[in-house]
Amino acid sequence: MSRAGARDAVVLIPAFDEAATVGAVVAVARAAGIGPVVVVDDGSGDGTAEVAAAAGAEVVRLASNVGKGGAVAAGARARREAVVVLIDADLTGLRPQHVRALAEPVLAGRAEMTRGVFAGGRWRTTLAQRALPVLNGQRALARTDLLSVEGLDASRYGVEIAISEHAHRQGWRTLDVPLPGVSQVMKEEKRGTLRGTAIRLRMYGEILLEVLRRHWSGTAGRRPAPPAQEPGARSPRMTCVWKPSLRM
């Protein structure tokens, strides 16, 4: 297990056809001031790369769509920073404090991984996060730990399952970080009802395939380890153990 001893991080944003939102996400990530911001353009056809570059991100362009897991892996391999902060390209309500809150416990050596938990944003995305926090894409972890995840390149939308199961098997200390006011633009809003629903169903299918693949290989089938808690922390129903100041 790797541990970062210095403030040495990169914000990595995998993106596929996210031109409408990626610029604003890049701007917030840059304002966080924790390190370079890199967008991995996963074969987009809507100008995502150009919008990201105009907002100040470094851009890694993939010739064809390889899925979210492959994009994350490609971005991590292209960097040398000790810690990777993963941020989705379609977030709303994101603030620099949120990005720093994800990074700081890993940079300080208090955890091997942090995982964002939406709170107080749009009710549908908040409810989904409460039901399945394992699927939240906002995370921070050591770059070498990320690249050690078995099957990362092929995991596509199952990337969060792959990372979470690996973290459980390796016994990583994992902290949940509340992200108040953060939400996502839903696929049906971005692509229209019919196409968005089709993409959502494909996403669920890829997540299920990743779960089944890990079950068949004997690397899944166990409940994820509960998040670690700061000394003296109480155990609420929704565990949010790292609560930094998120004042403007």
Side-chain angles (χ1 to χ4, degrees):
M1 241 177 286
S2 299
R3 289 173 174 80
R7 299 188 66 82
D8 181 17
V10 59
V11 179
L12 189 62
I13 306 173
F16 175 65
D17 285 348
E18 299 289 3
T21 54
V22 70
V25 174
V26 167
V28 172
R30 293 186 67 210
I34 65 169
V37 177
V38 177
V39 170
V40 183
D41 177 25
D42 190 18
S44 300
D46 69 341
T48 290
E50 289 77 12
V51 172
E58 300 177 38
V59 178
V60 175
R61 293 192 187 217
L62 304 183
S64 60
N65 181 265
V66 298
K68 187 176 182 180
V72 166
R77 290 194 186 100
R79 306 302 305 182
R80 290 294 178 267
E81 289 81 7
V83 171
V84 174
V85 181
L86 298 172
I87 298 291
D88 288 338
D90 59 355
L91 297 182
T92 62
L94 185 69
R95 293 186 283 162
Q97 294 90 331
H98 296 136
V99 181
R100 290 194 290 266
L102 285 167
E104 285 169 0
V106 180
L107 287 165
R110 288 193 298 275
E112 278 70 62
M113 182 172 72
T114 58
R115 180 180 65 190
V117 179
F118 294 168
R122 302 171 67 187
W123 71 268
R124 282 188 287 185
T125 54
T126 296
L127 181 61
Q129 290 296 307
R130 287 181 180 271
L132 290 170
V134 70
L135 298 182
N136 194 296
Q138 317 340 299
R139 298 173 184 244
L141 67 166
R143 188 182 68 87
T144 52
D145 286 345
L146 176 60
L147 289 174
S148 73
V149 174
E150 177 193 357
L152 181 67
D153 288 86
S155 60
R156 300 192 69 86
Y157 276 124
V159 60
E160 285 84 20
I161 295 291
I163 294 172
S164 295
E165 286 292 344
H166 184 81
H168 174 67
R169 295 197 313 275
Q170 297 299 316
W172 293 356
R173 294 168 299 164
T174 301
L175 297 183
D176 277 353
V177 176
L179 303 178
V182 177
S183 186
Q184 285 178 302
V185 181
M186 300 183 72
K187 290 172 173 52
E188 293 80 1
E189 296 171 318
K190 292 187 284 187
R191 317 295 185 212
T193 301
L194 291 178
R195 187 182 174 207
T197 300
I199 294 172
R200 182 174 297 282
L201 291 174
R202 186 182 73 200
M203 176 184 73
Y204 291 155
E206 291 176 358
I207 291 170
L208 178 60
L209 283 174
E210 183 65 23
V211 171
L212 292 174
R213 186 185 73 80
R214 289 178 176 273
H215 177 75
W216 291 331
S217 67
T219 60
R222 297 184 293 270
R223 293 181 62 186
Q229 289 197 348
E230 295 278 336
R234 298 177 63 185
S235 299
R237 192 170 185 178
M238 170 61 70
T239 304
C240 296
V241 292
W242 172 242
K243 295 185 177 181
S245 172
L246 295 177
R247 293 176 294 177
M248 293 298 291

